[in-house]
Amino acid sequence: MKVFLWSMIQKALPLGEQLQQRGIRADAFCYKCKGVESAMHIFFECPFAKEVWSLVPITQVVHLATCINLKDTIVAFRQVICLPPTGVSNNILPWICWAIWTARNMAIFENRTLSPEEVASKGIRLAREWSYAQPQKQTTGKKVPNPQRRIHDPAESSRVMTCKT
Ligand SMILES: [Zn+2]
């Protein structure tokens, strides 16, 4: 994931814009909307990406007008919290971008298309799996309450009523 994010920022992903600049591809069109396929476009500006982001329950929408480049957008996303009941306490951005990226590759190389709903839920699922796989630790940062991590004391757990919806 770190390599993927690094590749996004360093313009090292094999996207249309980069491939055209290196003379590998004649066009730089986005497979969805025929816009210029840059990292900023495919992950945030493309109508498909916007639809995916609109389906992710986050506290605030990062205003792309204030983010002139990908690095600023990624930094701005550090303030964004993914709301319950997603169970995602970490930064959602890498996972949604990864889901958009794999959906793009699947469409181009395997001719299989995913809906925005499928891409959004895949990104949330991956983020949740990553979140649950991390060792439990006390942090002072702003976190979304995670019901699975809150009850440690067996005596306390007997007094707590769990409501699953
Ligand atoms: Zn597009």
Side-chain angles (χ1 to χ4, degrees), residues 30 32-35 41 46-47:
C30 168
K32 282 283 181 193
C33 71
K34 305 297 175 200
H41 175 86
C46 180

Side-chain angles (χ1 to χ4, degrees), residues 22-40:
R22 292 174 195 171
I24 297 169
R25 235 172 81 175
D27 65 73
F29 297 140
C30 168
Y31 77 106
K32 282 283 181 193
C33 71
K34 305 297 175 200
V36 175
E37 193 189 53
S38 63
M40 196 66 183

Side-chain angles (χ1 to χ4, degrees), residues 1 55 57 71 94 97 111 114 121 131 155:
M1 185 52 72
L55 296 164
K71 208 170 175 180
C97 288
N111 206 22
L114 295 179
S121 64
S131 200

Side-chain angles (χ1 to χ4, degrees), residues 29-95:
F29 297 140
C30 168
Y31 77 106
K32 282 283 181 193
C33 71
K34 305 297 175 200
V36 175
E37 193 189 53
S38 63
M40 196 66 183
H41 175 86
I42 194 169
F43 296 119
F44 300 103
E45 295 172 344
C46 180
F48 180 78
K50 284 180 179 172
E51 214 175 327
V52 171
W53 282 112
S54 75
L55 296 164
V56 180
I58 47 181
T59 47
Q60 69 206 63
V61 176
V62 171
H63 296 290
L64 293 171
T66 59
C67 300
I68 50 169
N69 60 45
L70 198 60
K71 208 170 175 180
D72 286 351
T73 309
I74 291 171
V75 170
F77 252 93
R78 288 187 186 153
Q79 308 299 321
V80 172
I81 294 174
C82 203
L83 298 168
T86 54
V88 178
S89 57
N90 52 331
N91 190 345
I92 191 76
L93 177 133
W95 304 103

